[in-house]
Amino acid sequence: MQSTNAMTKHVVYNDEVVRAFSIATIVWSVVGLLLGVIVAAQLSFWQANLDTSWLSFGRLRPLHTNAAIFAFVGNMMFAGIYYSTQRLLKARLASDTLSWIHFWGYQLIIVAAAITLPAGLTQGKEYAELIWPIDLAVVVVWVVFAVNFFWTLGIRNERNLYVAIWFYIATIVTIAVLYIVNNLAVPTGLLHSYSLYFGVQDALVQWWYGHNAVAFFLTTPILGIMYYFLPKAAERPVYSYRLSIVHFWTLVFIYIWAGPHHLLNTSLPEWAQTLGMVFSLMLWAPSWGGMLNGLFTLRGAWDKLRTDPVIKFYVVAVTFYGMSTFEGPLLSIKSVNALGHYTDWIIGHVHGGTLGWNGFMAAGMLYWLVPRLWGTKLASIKLADAHFWIGTFGILLYVVSMWISGVSQGLFWQALDGEGFLKYPDFIVGLEGSKIMYHTRLFGGILYLAGFLLMAVNLTQTIRAGKAAKVEFDTPALVPSGPGFFQLLFSPPVVLSAVVILGSIALGMAGVLTGIVVLVLLEVIVVAMVLAYGARKKGMNWHDMLEGHPLAFSVLVLVAILIGGMVELIPTVIVNRNIPVQNAVEHTGVANAFANAPDEYDYVQQPYSPLEVSGRDIFVREGCYTCHSQQIRPFRDETLRYGEPSTLLESRYDTPFQWGSKRTGPDLARVGGKYPNSWHYLHMRNPRDTSPGSNMPNYAHMIDGTVDFTVTEARMRILRKLGVPYTDEDIERAIDLATSQGRLIADDLATAEIDVTPDAEIVALIAYLQRLGRGPQPVAPEALDLTKVEGK
Amino acid sequence: MYKEFYAHSDLMIWPLVGLAIFVLSFIGVLAYVFFGLRKSREMDRMASLPLDDDTGVIPTGDDDRE
């Protein structure tokens, strides 16, 4: 079928850049895992924070996740993609220059992240913490990667695109969309910005991104790598090419809808939660189809499991993929999520995927790839076997300990006594009960890291023993043939699918038949599949033709992922601007908001004062959201423990939103007024003074640190541009108002014999914490209505 | 727990019905793909593509196995 003429091409693969990415993978794997061990140690032993701001858990945890995901898995992904793409297309990478810009640009981004995140420079959104200049660099490097990749597709010498290439296309297209949309922000300076989204908008966009970062950064490219490297290692063709077609399209279409399952039982609108849950359940089918396709590829080669470490790593990796993709949908069932969310169960689930699936796929790929790239044998199979067993044992210790800890936490938090009140009202008691599991997790993490250190030694010896291999050969040049771009794009399967999808969305958006939309959209998959196989033309089926046309293929992938994204995001973004405000009171100024408040809870939707803005920025800087949620779910145990369920209104001026995803410490949504200012001061200085048994770091550096209120003023101007209704007076008097509110708090602290300046960071943070879940607080002495204060 | 979440909304039954139909449809597609399609030589060729490149097989064994 391949159309060729008499011309042949001489091809020399660019494996230099593959070697570079492979070495980077080895280096960053150790760094990312070491950071994981450090943050695990900090949760076991608070002293491991070393009383140093830039080494505290809240700052290192984002560094660990970014290093593991983007540095370790990212470099592994690029090595695998560049190696396999050249061979599957029988073509050298299109541009050496772009390849090296990609490599060095990406390494510089990682180094920049390693400097900025411990420094507290963060956007405060999970897996999207990098500040805006680095975000721009990421976009530039990703574009370079995309141009290089698609350019290579254009000069290929193999007509059809193999399934691995489809997954790479989906990765490149989708990550670009996700990253740009989620990171839209307005800079307030060189190192800080505010997200364009507020409250529930930000929550939904963030978890649409966060979930699909897992899907399209940690899953689809690795599946592509699986579809290439597993057959290579097993020396068998992929079990079912047909199944891979079903696997690919179903996964790509469904995955993008599942983001809201990170926000179940929150104040996210019910319809979005239900969509997220249902589509998550549907993910079971394609995920397991892919897993079985991977495992069955080993048919007739299972004997290698005894002798070949590469196969061992792949089998366990694919098994963990199956386990994680079973557990994910399970946790997306609302009732299960009610138990598991905010607990260590989620941590166990995530690490089953990253350590088991990503880590072991990386190890398997490197053990196979490095000897070939350097034209030698693996230095030691025994060492690789040792890595396998140590790593497997480490994962099991990690995951099982987190399961036990997580389920225990969920049950502990929910437990009610015979009269319907909290059986365990003291949060710390539960934390102390988890300590043994935290120690076990730490041990498991150390074992896993030790395995990778063995790998680093083994592969270093392999590289030193070998010599960079060069692969060159002659291949027939490809002459383009088949239907054109528009012919394919407007072929019956696409047109019919588009009509059905648009019709379904129109029905659903009318607000009448939302449930039916879900139904019909799913049927689209069926119709498209049936047509894809039914529309045969001159011996070629429709999908066969599509595989020969990268542009049409990429456009359809883009359409597939945009449908789910648009259906969920657009209504939320639009609706949030029109949330009906109960007891609405127009904002007439920060200075008099407190004095005018007939009831403080009517004023929950009022903007933060300048000092509270500063305090919130500090809260975000320190990564408090990594351990504290700000979202009370509508369950009896939560309302008893934390107060009334959270509402959309309460976070409508929150950018970035701080709903959180984990409760190592208690929820803070209504912590305002729960404790006196002095309690917060003592708690921040040393949490053990007020909460014996706490594993929270000391934040004594906030006592000496001061806030520059001129910066606050500038940031308030940006917030007003983004839609926060600050008055001219609010902004012009921002410095005075912040200072006066700080003085009120400092004076209050002085009554407890605590000496602190009004512009101290600790004062700003206290102001913010005292505002959470409450209306405006006293800001300026002249606006202070003493009667009301006494009344409150 | 189930009633707590679903008792108050008529629409909530639809996602469950949708899920059931999806699963049935998915099984149908799988059956069609695996049993309804003719054998395709091109498909077999594509499935074997990773094995059809230049790298050959370099033994990964070393001397310390014994």
Side-chain angles (χ1 to χ4, degrees):
Chain A
M1 180 165 53
Q2 182 171 319
S3 301
T4 59
N5 59 16
M7 280 183 59
T8 58
K9 278 187 182 174
H10 185 68
V11 176
V12 183
Y13 290 144
N14 178 356
D15 283 339
E16 289 84 1
V17 75
V18 181
R19 278 187 277 271
F21 273 119
S22 298
I23 291 171
T25 307
I26 297 166
V27 171
W28 291 121
S29 68
V30 172
V31 173
L33 295 171
L34 179 62
L35 284 164
V37 167
I38 291 172
V39 292
Q42 290 176 331
L43 289 171
S44 274
F45 309 102
W46 66 269
Q47 296 88 341
N49 291 278
L50 301 178
D51 276 352
T52 306
S53 61
W54 55 275
L55 287 177
S56 62
F57 178 85
R59 297 194 190 185
L60 284 193
R61 192 265 193 178
L63 183 61
H64 159 58
T65 52
N66 278 272
I69 297 172
F70 299 112
F72 170 29
V73 180
N75 277 296
M76 170 262 189
M77 169 181 112
F78 294 133
I81 288 177
Y82 277 160
Y83 183 88
S84 58
T85 298
Q86 293 184 88
R87 280 143 181 92
L88 289 168
L89 302 180
K90 294 186 171 58
R92 183 184 176 88
L93 288 175
S95 166
D96 290 357
T97 307
L98 290 183
S99 301
W100 287 112
I101 291 174
H102 177 192
F103 175 77
W104 286 111
Y106 201 71
Q107 308 315 311
L108 284 174
I109 287 167
I110 294 168
V111 172
I115 294 169
T116 53
L117 291 174
L121 301 170
T122 173
Q123 293 189 141
K125 292 165 63 154
E126 284 184 74
Y127 321 126
E129 288 93 349
L130 301 184
I131 54 176
W132 70 269
I134 304 179
D135 282 341
L136 285 182
V138 170
V139 171
V140 170
V141 167
W142 198 259
V143 169
V144 166
F145 169 45
V147 169
N148 202 18
F149 180 84
F150 284 108
W151 189 359
T152 308
L153 293 188
I155 59 170
R156 71 192 187 281
N157 296 303
E158 166 63 45
R159 183 192 170 276
N160 278 27
L161 306 180
Y162 179 69
V163 56
I165 303 288
W166 314 343
F167 279 105
Y168 302 157
I169 290 174
T171 300
I172 293 172
V173 169
T174 313
I175 290 295
V177 172
L178 293 168
Y179 203 85
I180 291 171
V181 172
N182 187 49
N183 283 297
L184 288 176
V186 177
T188 62
L190 184 62
L191 303 173
H192 183 267
S193 62
Y194 283 124
S195 169
L196 220 56
Y197 313 104
F198 287 79
V200 66
Q201 291 176 348
D202 200 29
L204 187 57
V205 173
Q206 159 62 22
W207 283 114
W208 170 75
Y209 160 86
H211 172 75
N212 289 300
V214 172
F216 288 90
F217 204 92
L218 297 178
T219 305
T220 55
I222 315 304
L223 284 170
I225 284 167
M226 178 193 84
Y227 273 115
Y228 178 80
F229 286 97
L230 191 56
K232 296 290 287 186
E235 297 173 40
R236 300 279 189 287
V238 62
Y239 170 67
S240 169
Y241 203 69
R242 292 172 170 80
L243 183 55
S244 70
I245 295 173
V246 179
H247 178 205
F248 174 77
W249 285 107
T250 320
L251 199 76
V252 166
F253 181 76
I254 293 178
Y255 236 134
I256 206 84
W257 295 75
H261 71 210
H262 290 260
L263 299 166
L264 294 181
N265 303 308
T266 67
S267 49
L268 184 76
E270 184 70 19
W271 64 268
Q273 294 187 35
T274 305
L275 274 183
M277 181 183 80
V278 172
F279 274 83
S280 301
L281 290 173
M282 292 168 195
L283 273 172
W284 254 324
S287 300
W288 274 53
M291 175 195 69
L292 293 174
N293 212 7
L295 288 179
F296 288 165
T297 297
L298 292 168
R299 67 201 181 287
W302 284 103
D303 57 301
K304 291 189 174 189
L305 195 58
R306 288 185 291 112
T307 55
D308 189 344
V310 174
I311 295 290
K312 288 179 190 174
F313 277 104
Y314 281 158
V315 167
V316 172
V318 175
T319 305
F320 267 101
Y321 173 66
M323 197 188 72
S324 296
T325 53
F326 177 84
E327 192 182 24
L330 178 72
L331 279 162
S332 300
I333 299 170
K334 274 186 161 181
S335 50
V336 180
N337 190 273
L339 178 75
H341 195 45
Y342 298 125
T343 73
D344 286 325
W345 187 355
I346 306 300
I347 311 301
H349 164 60
V350 169
H351 283 80
T354 48
L355 301 180
W357 164 239
N358 295 118
F360 269 26
M361 279 301 294
M365 187 191 86
L366 289 172
Y367 281 127
W368 187 90
L369 191 56
V370 168
R372 284 163 176 78
L373 287 172
W374 274 271
T376 184
K377 295 177 181 177
L378 185 63
S380 170
I381 284 188
K382 281 182 180 171
L383 218 51
D385 279 339
H387 174 191
F388 172 78
W389 288 111
I390 291 172
T392 303
F393 189 53
I395 299 173
L396 291 176
L397 277 183
Y398 192 116
V399 172
V400 172
S401 64
M402 288 298 96
W403 281 342
I404 295 170
S405 175
V407 173
S408 303
Q409 284 165 356
L411 294 173
F412 173 86
W413 295 341
Q414 289 184 352
L416 301 177
D417 62 21
E419 296 181 352
F421 292 97
L422 289 175
K423 196 170 179 182
Y424 308 106
D426 190 353
F427 189 93
I428 288 287
V429 175
L431 178 66
E432 289 188 314
S434 297
K435 285 281 175 67
I436 184 68
M437 290 300 139
Y438 285 5
H439 301 335
T440 309
R441 179 252 303 272
L442 174 61
F443 183 57
I446 290 171
L447 286 182
Y448 193 83
L449 169 64
F452 268 77
L453 286 170
L454 293 182
M455 183 191 80
V457 170
N458 200 358
L459 293 180
T460 303
Q461 288 176 343
T462 304
I463 291 168
R464 292 179 65 179
K467 191 179 158 190
K470 184 179 180 184
V471 180
E472 55 184 318
F473 61 99
D474 291 321
T475 185
L478 176 72
V479 175
S481 64
F485 172 70
F486 288 105
Q487 198 180 342
L488 260 176
L489 219 54
F490 293 102
S491 55
V494 181
V495 172
L496 190 57
S497 299
V499 168
V500 177
I501 289 169
L502 290 174
S504 311
I505 292 172
L507 273 177
M509 290 304 103
V512 183
L513 300 169
T514 310
I516 293 177
V517 174
V518 177
L519 259 177
V520 178
L521 283 175
L522 294 172
E523 290 308 304
V524 170
I525 300 168
V526 178
V527 173
M529 287 296 172
V530 171
L531 286 175
Y533 289 101
R536 291 164 184 278
K537 184 181 176 184
K538 294 179 183 174
M540 295 169 69
N541 64 47
W542 180 78
H543 201 272
D544 193 14
M545 291 186 285
L546 192 63
E547 287 172 26
H549 208 304
L551 181 59
F553 197 98
S554 305
V555 169
L556 289 182
V557 168
L558 181 65
V559 171
I561 62 117
L562 283 182
I563 292 167
M566 289 194 297
V567 168
E568 287 177 348
L569 296 187
I570 291 176
T572 308
V573 170
I574 294 170
V575 167
N576 194 50
R577 293 290 182 193
N578 300 298
I579 296 173
V581 180
Q582 291 174 332
N583 303 321
V585 178
E586 188 183 352
H587 177 72
T588 56
V590 168
N592 54 6
F594 175 76
N596 290 345
D599 180 325
E600 62 178 285
Y601 287 102
D602 292 343
Y603 275 72
V604 160
Q605 71 276 15
Q606 291 286 304
Y608 293 110
S609 72
L611 190 65
E612 290 157 4
V613 168
S614 303
R616 192 168 200 281
D617 287 343
I618 293 167
F619 186 92
V620 171
R621 180 191 75 189
E622 298 300 336
C624 304
Y625 64 89
T626 57
C627 288
H628 295 280
S629 59
Q630 286 187 28
Q631 183 66 216
I632 304 170
R633 299 177 296 177
F635 304 141
R636 175 157 178 80
D637 60 290
E638 297 219 358
T639 53
L640 285 172
R641 194 182 298 277
Y642 302 120
E644 289 298 302
S646 296
T647 68
L648 289 181
L649 282 178
E650 288 170 291
S651 53
R652 73 186 312 224
Y653 296 130
D654 284 3
T655 179
F657 84 111
Q658 293 288 281
W659 292 7
S661 62
K662 178 73 174 68
R663 285 179 185 159
T664 304
D667 187 275
L668 300 179
R670 301 203 185 284
V671 75
K674 191 171 181 181
Y675 305 104
N677 293 332
S678 55
W679 185 93
H680 284 295
Y681 177 92
L682 296 172
H683 184 66
M684 289 297 161
R685 193 183 63 181
N686 183 345
R688 267 65 51 189
D689 288 346
T690 55
S691 311
S694 169
N695 61 353
M696 182 172 146
N698 294 341
Y699 285 97
H701 64 273
M702 288 185 201
I703 296 171
D704 297 327
T706 55
V707 180
D708 180 355
F709 292 134
T710 58
V711 172
T712 307
E713 181 187 340
R715 291 183 179 182
M716 286 174 67
R717 290 184 192 280
I718 299 295
L719 286 172
R720 183 162 72 169
K721 284 182 183 172
L722 290 173
V724 181
Y726 285 123
T727 63
D728 290 339
E729 187 193 5
D730 289 342
I731 292 175
E732 286 161 10
R733 293 188 61 200
I735 298 174
D736 289 343
L737 292 171
T739 308
S740 62
Q741 188 180 6
R743 193 174 305 284
L744 288 174
I745 294 173
D747 289 348
D748 180 57
L749 289 171
T751 63
E753 298 183 352
I754 295 170
D755 184 23
V756 66
T757 59
D759 62 347
E761 288 184 344
I762 188 87
V763 172
L765 185 68
I766 290 171
Y768 171 65
L769 292 173
Q770 294 290 25
R771 174 67 194 278
L772 288 176
R774 294 203 295 175
Q777 295 303 295
V779 171
E782 67 268 25
L784 192 58
D785 181 337
L786 295 174
T787 326
K788 286 177 65 63
V789 174
E790 287 163 8
K792 293 173 190 242
Chain B
M1 188 64 81
Y2 179 85
K3 286 180 181 172
E4 183 182 340
F5 289 118
Y6 295 106
H8 304 295
S9 174
D10 296 336
L11 284 180
M12 288 298 115
I13 193 65
W14 286 106
L16 297 176
V17 174
L19 180 62
I21 292 181
F22 169 77
V23 171
L24 291 175
S25 305
F26 193 83
I27 291 169
V29 171
L30 284 181
Y32 177 75
V33 169
F34 283 99
F35 303 114
L37 285 177
R38 284 180 296 151
K39 274 280 181 187
S40 160
R41 262 191 302 175
E42 175 61 13
M43 215 165 259
D44 292 339
R45 188 186 76 82
M46 289 303 295
S48 302
L49 208 58
L51 306 176
D52 179 34
D53 62 28
D54 61 285
T55 55
V57 178
I58 299 174
T60 55
D62 59 3
D63 298 333
D64 66 5
R65 181 178 297 284
E66 288 77 34

